[in-house]
Amino acid sequence: MTPKNETIADIARLAGVSKSTVSRALNDSPLLSLETRERIRALARQRNFQIHVPAQRLSRKESSTIAFVTHGYHMDFSVADLFTLEILSSISRTLSEMRYDLLMVHVTPDDCEWAAKYIDTGRADGFILMTSTHKTDHIKALLNMNAPFIVWGVPQPGYSYCSVTGDNFTGGQLGTRHLIGQGRRRIVFLGGPADELEVQGRFEGYRAALQEAGMLFEQRRVGYGNFSDTSGASIMRYLLARNPDLDAVFVNSDLMAIAAMDVLREAGRRIPEDVSVVGYDNLSIAEVSNPPLTTVSQNLAIAGRQLARNLLQYLQDGVVTNVTIPVELIVRKSA
Amino acid sequence: MTPKNETIADIARLAGVSKSTVSRALNDSPLLSLETRERIRALARQRNFQIHVPAQRLSRKESSTIAFVTHGYHMDFSVADLFTLEILSSISRTLSEMRYDLLMVHVTPDDCEWAAKYIDTGRADGFILMTSTHKTDHIKALLNMNAPFIVWGVPQPGYSYCSVTGDNFTGGQLGTRHLIGQGRRRIVFLGGPADELEVQGRFEGYRAALQEAGMLFEQRRVGYGNFSDTSGASIMRYLLARNPDLDAVFVNSDLMAIAAMDVLREAGRRIPEDVSVVGYDNLSIAEVSNPPLTTVSQNLAIAGRQLARNLLQYLQDGVVTNVTIPVELIVRKSA
DNA sequence: CTGAAAGCGCTTACAG
DNA sequence: CTGAAAGCGCTTACAG
């Protein structure tokens, strides 16, 4: 029914040259005379020739595809994955510009074999790791089997691998400074998991900002959640109970911040009149929340591009990059 | 550095059989004696053998990968794509169970060549179309080039292709009936784009519910947006101005519903005391909105599974399926 | 039940 | 600058 696809051999016959020459023409080989190259390319274009990629991959021994790996199937995607979704957008764009395909892969925490199923089978050349749970285990497994990858997040000290991360210290500092600048003095820190390096960085920034303003740090002003909206709500309640006098809260994610604002409102606090809140990430929901959220932007467009580019670079010449993306405060209504 | 991957030939040598036999063993060929098959499989397992997929694909002339196509790069992913994200989750799971890979592809509205870049190159066997803008154009182009695909949404009358869609009529009816059951009488319809078949279906359901309750339908009670939160807000304002007496609103998406609730609140209406609102889709944000949103669930888990399964089925034996997924009302606080 | 051989559609030394 | 040939790692008629 559909006319069988043409191959490089067909084009060669039509052009009166060898397959090698066609291949070279299509691949911009410097060996060819400009004239033959153009002649062949024109012919290919005219016949709407599309090269057969699996054959190319077999021959070149590379898959020209990158796997984007996120958490497993036990949880479905939800708002909680908005961060992943937004960064995916820019990774995908960059990869496509560089003529790479993007595969979606979901790993379950207990699976340690997944990497081989992609690398050794030649289905992917490398991984972009977005998974948060058991991240360290996955990283060790990948290092162990010598699989190329890059991860979003602060690199584990003592290991060498590619990473890109936000500037968590500055982020914490920027958010807290802004709150202080608004005249707030009883600023609470609503963090992600206490054991994550990202969270620790933001906390240090928070502390530094207090200190440079000559303000006292108090342990009772800090609480840790797990980035989810439910934890945002419950930790906010906890913090509110321990700090009835609070006048601002610096939250480690937009999702938690939005949940926290609901809690505050239920407790009769007006935002930002009674308490200012600043979030983290500048996801698309931050714009449409009520009130619109002041937040620390991680610039996911740049982050995604770096993740893609640097992984490809590593694939090419083995240079391991660790980059940290600058953050920026986006001021809206909530603080 | 890493020991070179073993091939089928290596396994054959180790097992003292031919490559053909190894291939057959790995592919569960009925030709083989159970004993040799198990012997070879055990050996492969023990040596951690992974087959080289691009070679397999070249030989079999199928890519065993499906492309998930969404809108292009001019817009980044955002909350507005939550629907896509949530359905992707279940598609991805199903595909992976059936040993297919999932490729992400983004198309720009003006690009009509994209399909060939995946089918003719052998990078994908078929498409799952989630793109909303210019959907009809894309569908025609795909039909035209005879590319296998399935789409989420009501099929265009007059064309034959695979689709899965929600039961829009029943959805509209269910939501409206619920509102009527709560004693509401001045129910406004806040729709998606008026020219989409989905929206028309929901509207008919709305109208039918009014009629069966003996209520009068009034044209001034309906307004159309484009599913975005901004349009949700502005159309809500418009409807409020034309219907100051409204006591309920049936909204065509959760995103618009959440924006509409903000508008209503700003106008001094309490939800659900003064006005009840029901949304559509039952995305994860519906649970965490304030108040939690009563909404029509499209059951994306089933929808995604059907999209994947039915496309593969079509690939296999060419049967075109058009399925409509049942909807269900999820009652929370907003109505 | 098993193997030798051809073929899938490319790329790339090697030779000229 | 160009071509003939070998090879990438599988699958699958064909023959036995």
Side-chain angles (χ1 to χ4, degrees):
Chain A
M1 154 157 290
T2 344
K4 201 177 153 305
N5 276 336
E6 281 180 315
T7 70
I8 233 181
D10 298 317
I11 302 294
R13 193 163 13 77
L14 290 168
V17 296
S18 71
K19 288 193 305 170
S20 331
T21 301
V22 175
S23 174
R24 290 188 185 108
L26 266 21
N27 289 305
D28 274 323
S29 161
L31 293 176
L32 248 47
S33 81
L34 223 130
E35 187 263 320
T36 38
R37 196 187 71 180
E38 280 319 311
R39 187 166 59 85
I40 293 171
R41 303 196 121 212
L43 180 62
R45 211 171 310 120
Q46 174 218 319
R47 310 218 33 113
N48 237 298
F49 172 74
Q50 301 282 353
I51 208 155
H52 192 264
V53 172
Q56 205 170 36
R57 288 174 176 164
L58 173 56
S59 189
R60 291 197 178 146
K61 292 152 167 286
E62 57 183 41
S63 66
S64 61
T65 111
I66 296 299
F68 180 83
V69 0
T70 63
H71 64 66
Y73 290 125
H74 56 295
M75 352 179 196
D76 277 322
F77 274 152
S78 73
V79 243
D81 302 289
L82 214 47
F83 185 89
T84 300
L85 181 71
E86 297 194 10
I87 206 169
L88 173 58
S89 180
S90 120
I91 291 175
S92 173
R93 178 192 298 111
T94 309
L95 249 21
S96 137
E97 283 165 8
M98 320 200 62
R99 335 226 66 203
Y100 268 73
D101 280 340
L102 197 177
L103 222 53
M104 291 287 297
V105 358
H106 300 253
V107 309
T108 47
D110 43 304
D111 180 6
C112 318
E113 311 265 87
W114 62 269
K117 294 221 178 345
Y118 288 91
I119 294 295
D120 293 349
T121 57
R123 295 200 284 175
D125 294 336
F127 302 107
I128 297 181
L129 266 203
M130 290 299 301
T131 167
S132 46
T133 41
H134 302 253
K135 193 190 260 183
T136 325
D137 294 348
H138 286 140
I139 289 173
K140 283 184 193 153
L142 290 172
L143 284 170
N144 220 22
M145 67 175 284
N146 218 314
F149 68 99
I150 192 167
V151 352
W152 166 256
V154 181
Q156 298 288 323
Y159 295 93
S160 164
Y161 57 83
C162 293
S163 70
V164 2
T165 182
D167 185 344
N168 294 294
F169 180 86
T170 306
Q173 207 173 28
L174 242 43
T176 312
R177 271 187 195 157
H178 177 72
L179 259 7
I180 295 171
Q182 309 266 299
R184 303 308 182 168
R185 287 300 172 268
R186 296 176 300 276
I187 305 171
V188 131
F189 179 91
L190 201 175
D195 58 350
E196 290 193 10
L197 296 173
E198 285 74 10
V199 175
Q200 289 164 21
R202 293 171 198 179
F203 174 72
E204 291 309 331
Y206 160 79
R207 208 139 93 136
L210 293 184
Q211 184 160 10
E212 73 191 15
M215 292 164 56
L216 197 66
F217 163 71
E218 296 175 89
Q219 190 58 51
R220 66 170 164 129
R221 301 237 190 256
V222 359
Y224 294 99
N226 65 4
F227 286 130
S228 73
D229 42 71
T230 24
S231 84
S234 61
I235 306 300
M236 188 67 249
R237 269 186 216 101
Y238 164 83
L239 286 170
L240 203 47
R242 296 194 68 184
N243 307 270
D245 63 335
L246 65 80
D247 60 8
V249 19
F250 174 65
V251 192
N252 271 201
S253 83
D254 291 341
L255 252 24
M256 291 199 298
I258 289 172
M261 292 200 293
D262 282 342
V263 169
L264 288 167
R265 221 162 0 221
E266 275 166 26
R269 316 289 178 111
R270 290 165 307 162
I271 300 164
E273 294 82 354
D274 301 329
V275 4
S276 300
V277 358
V278 355
Y280 212 102
D281 287 343
N282 191 29
L283 299 184
S284 53
I285 30 162
E287 276 181 79
V288 303
S289 73
N290 182 15
L293 195 61
T294 293
T295 187
V296 177
S297 167
Q298 300 235 48
N299 205 335
L300 298 191
I302 294 185
R305 188 163 351 117
Q306 291 286 321
L307 284 167
R309 272 198 203 303
N310 295 348
L311 176 55
L312 297 191
Q313 168 134 336
Y314 176 72
L315 249 24
Q316 217 168 61
D317 48 30
V319 4
V320 359
T321 52
N322 296 97
V323 350
T324 120
I325 306 285
V327 292
E328 183 186 358
L329 187 75
I330 307 293
V331 179
R332 283 192 272 250
K333 302 284 187 204
S334 70
Chain B
M1 149 158 291
T2 344
K4 200 175 154 307
N5 274 338
E6 282 181 311
T7 70
I8 233 180
D10 297 317
I11 301 295
R13 191 164 12 77
L14 290 168
V17 296
S18 70
K19 291 192 305 171
S20 331
T21 301
V22 175
S23 173
R24 290 189 186 106
L26 266 20
N27 290 303
D28 274 324
S29 161
L31 293 177
L32 248 46
S33 82
L34 221 128
E35 186 263 321
T36 37
R37 194 188 71 181
E38 279 319 310
R39 188 167 57 85
I40 294 172
R41 303 196 121 212
L43 179 63
R45 211 172 311 121
Q46 174 219 319
R47 307 214 39 107
N48 238 300
F49 171 72
Q50 301 281 355
I51 208 157
H52 192 264
V53 172
Q56 205 170 38
R57 287 174 177 166
L58 172 58
S59 189
R60 290 199 179 145
K61 294 153 166 284
E62 56 183 40
S63 66
S64 62
T65 109
I66 297 300
F68 179 83
V69 0
T70 64
H71 63 65
Y73 289 124
H74 57 295
M75 352 180 198
D76 277 323
F77 274 152
S78 73
V79 244
D81 301 288
L82 213 48
F83 184 90
T84 300
L85 181 72
E86 298 194 10
I87 206 169
L88 173 59
S89 180
S90 121
I91 291 175
S92 173
R93 177 191 298 111
T94 309
L95 248 22
S96 137
E97 283 164 8
M98 319 202 61
R99 337 225 64 203
Y100 268 73
D101 280 341
L102 198 178
L103 222 54
M104 289 287 296
V105 358
H106 298 252
V107 308
T108 46
D110 43 304
D111 180 6
C112 318
E113 311 265 271
W114 62 271
K117 294 223 179 343
Y118 289 91
I119 294 295
D120 293 350
T121 57
R123 296 199 286 174
D125 294 336
F127 303 106
I128 297 180
L129 265 204
M130 289 300 300
T131 166
S132 48
T133 40
H134 301 254
K135 191 187 262 183
T136 325
D137 293 347
H138 287 140
I139 288 173
K140 283 185 194 153
L142 290 171
L143 283 171
N144 220 23
M145 67 174 285
N146 220 315
F149 68 100
I150 193 167
V151 354
W152 166 257
V154 180
Q156 297 289 323
Y159 295 91
S160 164
Y161 57 84
C162 293
S163 69
V164 1
T165 181
D167 185 343
N168 294 294
F169 180 86
T170 306
Q173 206 172 29
L174 242 45
T176 312
R177 272 187 194 155
H178 177 73
L179 259 8
I180 295 171
Q182 310 266 299
R184 302 309 181 168
R185 287 299 173 269
R186 294 176 300 276
I187 306 171
V188 134
F189 179 92
L190 200 175
D195 58 349
E196 289 192 11
L197 296 173
E198 285 75 9
V199 175
Q200 289 164 20
R202 293 171 197 178
F203 174 72
E204 291 308 331
Y206 160 79
R207 206 138 95 135
L210 293 184
Q211 184 160 12
E212 74 192 14
M215 291 165 57
L216 197 65
F217 163 70
E218 296 175 88
Q219 190 58 52
R220 66 170 164 128
R221 301 240 189 255
V222 358
Y224 294 99
N226 65 3
F227 286 129
S228 74
D229 43 70
T230 23
S231 83
S234 61
I235 306 299
M236 188 67 249
R237 268 184 216 105
Y238 164 84
L239 286 170
L240 204 47
R242 297 196 66 184
N243 306 270
D245 64 334
L246 65 81
D247 61 9
V249 20
F250 174 65
V251 192
N252 272 201
S253 83
D254 291 342
L255 254 23
M256 292 199 297
I258 289 171
M261 291 199 294
D262 281 343
V263 168
L264 288 167
R265 227 168 350 230
E266 274 166 27
R269 315 290 178 109
R270 291 165 308 163
I271 300 163
E273 295 82 353
D274 301 329
V275 5
S276 300
V277 358
V278 356
Y280 213 102
D281 287 342
N282 192 30
L283 300 184
S284 53
I285 30 162
E287 275 182 79
V288 303
S289 73
N290 184 14
L293 194 62
T294 294
T295 187
V296 177
S297 166
Q298 301 235 47
N299 206 334
L300 297 191
I302 295 184
R305 186 162 355 114
Q306 290 286 320
L307 283 167
R309 272 197 202 305
N310 294 348
L311 175 55
L312 297 191
Q313 168 132 338
Y314 176 72
L315 249 25
Q316 216 169 60
D317 47 32
V319 3
V320 359
T321 52
N322 296 97
V323 350
T324 119
I325 306 284
V327 292
E328 184 186 359
L329 187 75
I330 308 292
V331 178
R332 282 191 273 250
K333 302 284 186 206
S334 69

